[in-house]
Amino acid sequence: METEDVVTIGPEVEIYNPGGVYLGHHAILSQGAYLCGATHDYNTIEFTYIKKRIVIEAYSWICAKAVVLPGAHCREGSVLGAAAVTSTSLAAWTVYAGNPAVRVKERINFLDKTEITA
């Protein structure tokens, strides 16, 4: 697992890491979140083991009991809501919820000074 500075990992977070996990700076994994970096090919007699890297970019938040599946890429500032499940990429500065996770709204990009008004 690779982490940048100031990563927060809450209690009872589980990180299954055979494919690699990257956590960007100021990424947050809230209580009970689960990152699962591998699966199996259930369509083969060998039940082949498949490892895929998970990327959680800077300022992303994986909320309580949310699940991030193999190969998922949570782009900068994305939010995966409580108990939501993703197996794909989440757009930057966007909030997702549900199972499977769907886009529910945009998040203010507090890093972009042009979006913040007085």
Side-chain angles (χ1 to χ4, degrees):
M1 184 165 77
E2 178 184 356
T3 66
E4 297 292 333
D5 293 335
V6 194
V7 168
T8 302
I9 300 175
E12 298 183 30
V13 168
E14 186 173 349
I15 301 172
Y16 181 50
N17 182 23
V21 171
Y22 169 81
L23 301 174
H25 63 92
H26 293 88
I28 299 170
L29 305 178
S30 287
Q31 63 274 16
Y34 179 46
L35 276 56
C36 181
T39 186
H40 293 274
D41 184 350
Y42 51 80
N43 287 317
T44 65
I45 196 167
E46 297 85 11
F47 202 59
T48 308
Y49 187 64
I50 301 168
K51 303 181 287 185
K52 292 184 180 179
R53 181 175 166 90
I54 293 172
V55 175
I56 311 293
E57 290 186 9
Y59 301 101
S60 293
W61 178 21
I62 308 304
C63 296
K65 299 191 183 279
V67 177
V68 179
L69 294 173
H73 187 157
C74 302
R75 302 205 186 285
E76 182 183 77
S78 60
V79 175
L80 182 63
V85 179
T86 189
S87 61
T88 61
S89 293
L90 304 183
W93 301 101
T94 304
V95 179
Y96 291 80
N99 180 7
V102 295
R103 175 185 289 216
V104 293
K105 62 182 162 183
E106 299 299 311
R107 178 182 184 194
I108 294 172
N109 180 347
F110 50 78
L111 300 176
D112 183 358
K113 302 300 182 206
T114 63
E115 288 190 20
I116 300 173
T117 58

